[in-house]
Amino acid sequence: MVNRRTVIRGGSAAVAAAAGAGALTLAVDGDNVSAATPSDQDTNGRDAVAAAAGTPAFLPLPPNAKPLPDNGKGYRIQRVGSNAYVVVTGFVQSVFVVTQDGVVLVDAPPASSGKLKEAIASVTAKPVTHFIYSHSHLDHVGAVTDFPNVTRIAHADCATILALHKDPARPMPQKVVSGRYNTLYIGGEEIRLIYPGANHEAGNILTYFPRQRLAVMTDVVMPGWAPYRGWGNADYLPGILLGHDAILELDFDTYVGGHVYRTGTRADVKQSRAFFVDFWNTVKKNMSAISFSEAAASVEAENAWAAQKVWIDEIAKATQTELVERWGKQIAAVDTFTADTAGSVVVSISTDATVNFP
């Protein structure tokens, strides 16, 4: 079975294996990459097979959401500044910057264990001296122990969560920053750590390398993709929008979001923000348009959970239909987790957001 944990453990390789003969084929000729996709007839055939098997058929991925070829070793290195690099392993990403004194690394997903060391060594002989926790989630930082001699840096809110975990795979930081703005100078490189408040997780920070024109904020923007379920089970959904705004305040060329097959641009962040606002407002509209009392009439009167479920499910179905119609050809996977996420938005609108949000 392919699920999020499968992707976390093995990148996209496990997903591609499960997809079988219907998977995307990439033909590489020098620097030119062409995507060979199945014919419409094959696609319809797969849909028929899926229907017969009782499994859903999904919208095809837009071209800019599909995987790029790796180096044959399971990862891809992308230079994104004079001395900054992104390592893409399947569906996860890390960033490293080579400074005068050593390497600063942001995130180390378990799927990249071993590969990160090899990728860094292919660029520089300098050691990794510093590690920045984007946040505490294991799927992004669980391979930090591959670099035992680094100075680990995290926001205070992230450090609080790490202390609660007591997980040897996620050791405590030696340096903790607090507040909204912090600036570090490591090996001659300016690094700004920006915390717009709780978002995907409390303590999830935006790391900005001004000289590299590089912004890194994990699990907030997925360039070219709809968000994962509930924006990754976000701690505070309104904070997702605040995260977008914090990114867009910066002067950057490259955005790294920790997931998907490619890096992003300012246009990707703007598109993601527009999707968030449309999503939120569509849910809010449907909450007003769909009668709770009529939905509740179909279940036992005293069963408050059942009444909520029927109402939320109707809102979610209506919301997904609208968003697929408006966004289905622009960004990937709008038809996958949108209904699930809509349920999270209903709760957040009811509990988190201010009256005029967004």
Side-chain angles (χ1 to χ4, degrees):
M1 177 180 177
V2 177
N3 54 33
R4 187 180 190 226
R5 294 188 182 276
T6 309
V7 176
I8 290 169
R9 287 196 301 270
S12 63
V15 178
L24 171 73
T25 301
L26 288 170
V28 183
D29 178 16
D31 291 332
N32 298 316
V33 182
S34 60
T37 55
S39 67
D40 290 341
Q41 182 177 1
D42 290 339
T43 301
N44 292 337
R46 285 203 312 279
D47 288 350
V49 171
T55 55
F58 296 105
L59 291 172
L61 294 178
N64 73 349
K66 293 180 179 180
L68 297 170
D70 64 23
N71 61 357
K73 298 180 179 181
Y75 64 92
R76 177 171 63 86
I77 304 178
Q78 178 183 342
R79 189 169 185 170
V80 293
S82 60
N83 46 296
Y85 302 83
V86 180
V87 181
V88 181
T89 307
F91 209 65
V92 294
Q93 304 167 346
S94 295
V95 167
F96 69 91
V97 176
V98 183
T99 76
Q100 296 170 6
D101 300 334
V103 175
V104 176
L105 177 63
V106 183
D107 282 357
S112 300
S113 182
K115 299 181 178 70
L116 272 177
K117 279 189 172 181
E118 182 178 314
I120 294 168
S122 73
V123 171
T124 180
K126 293 179 179 179
V128 179
T129 58
H130 294 79
F131 177 84
I132 298 174
Y133 275 105
S134 64
H135 64 308
S136 78
H137 284 172
L138 184 67
D139 60 320
H140 292 284
V141 299
V144 62
T145 52
D146 288 356
F147 305 91
N149 298 318
V150 299
T151 297
R152 296 178 296 273
I153 304 166
H155 191 273
D157 288 359
C158 173
T160 297
I161 296 171
L162 291 170
L164 292 172
H165 287 323
K166 297 181 180 178
D167 183 357
R170 290 171 281 179
M172 290 295 293
Q174 297 99 330
K175 181 176 179 60
V176 174
V177 299
S178 60
R180 183 178 173 90
Y181 297 106
N182 290 271
T183 302
L184 309 177
Y185 294 92
I186 299 174
E189 193 75 38
E190 180 184 351
I191 306 170
R192 300 181 196 173
L193 304 181
I194 302 165
Y195 183 46
N199 51 86
H200 167 70
E201 188 189 43
N204 188 37
I205 55 173
L206 165 58
T207 303
Y208 178 49
F209 299 88
R211 197 163 70 88
Q212 310 301 324
R213 298 180 61 81
L214 170 63
V216 186
M217 192 171 196
T218 303
D219 285 336
V220 170
V221 178
M222 305 292 173
W225 284 69
Y228 186 70
R229 189 175 196 166
W231 270 278
N233 194 30
D235 282 7
Y236 182 60
L237 279 178
I240 297 293
L241 185 62
L242 299 180
H244 280 78
D245 290 341
I247 297 164
L248 290 170
E249 287 176 3
L250 304 175
D251 187 14
F252 67 95
D253 293 326
T254 305
Y255 166 80
V256 178
H259 279 297
V260 310
Y261 302 115
R262 65 173 177 87
T263 57
T265 63
R266 178 172 292 275
D268 287 311
V269 179
K270 287 182 176 180
Q271 182 186 60
S272 176
R273 187 188 190 283
F275 181 77
F276 179 98
V277 172
D278 190 16
F279 200 135
W280 190 277
N281 287 334
T282 301
V283 171
K284 188 184 291 186
K285 179 203 71 175
N286 288 329
M287 287 172 69
S288 297
I290 296 172
S291 168
F292 176 78
S293 58
E294 289 181 11
S298 65
V299 300
E300 183 180 0
E302 293 81 8
N303 193 336
W305 275 192
Q308 285 282 324
K309 176 171 173 52
V310 172
W311 183 59
I312 291 173
D313 284 352
E314 288 188 20
I315 293 167
K317 181 179 179 181
T319 298
Q320 175 154 309
T321 298
E322 290 185 51
L323 292 179
V324 167
E325 188 173 301
R326 290 196 289 272
W327 292 90
K329 293 182 179 179
Q330 297 183 55
I331 57 178
V334 183
D335 58 332
T336 55
F337 292 123
T338 295
D340 300 299
T341 302
S344 299
V345 174
V346 170
V347 175
S348 189
I349 287 173
S350 303
T351 60
D352 292 329
T354 58
V355 173
N356 295 321
F357 185 86

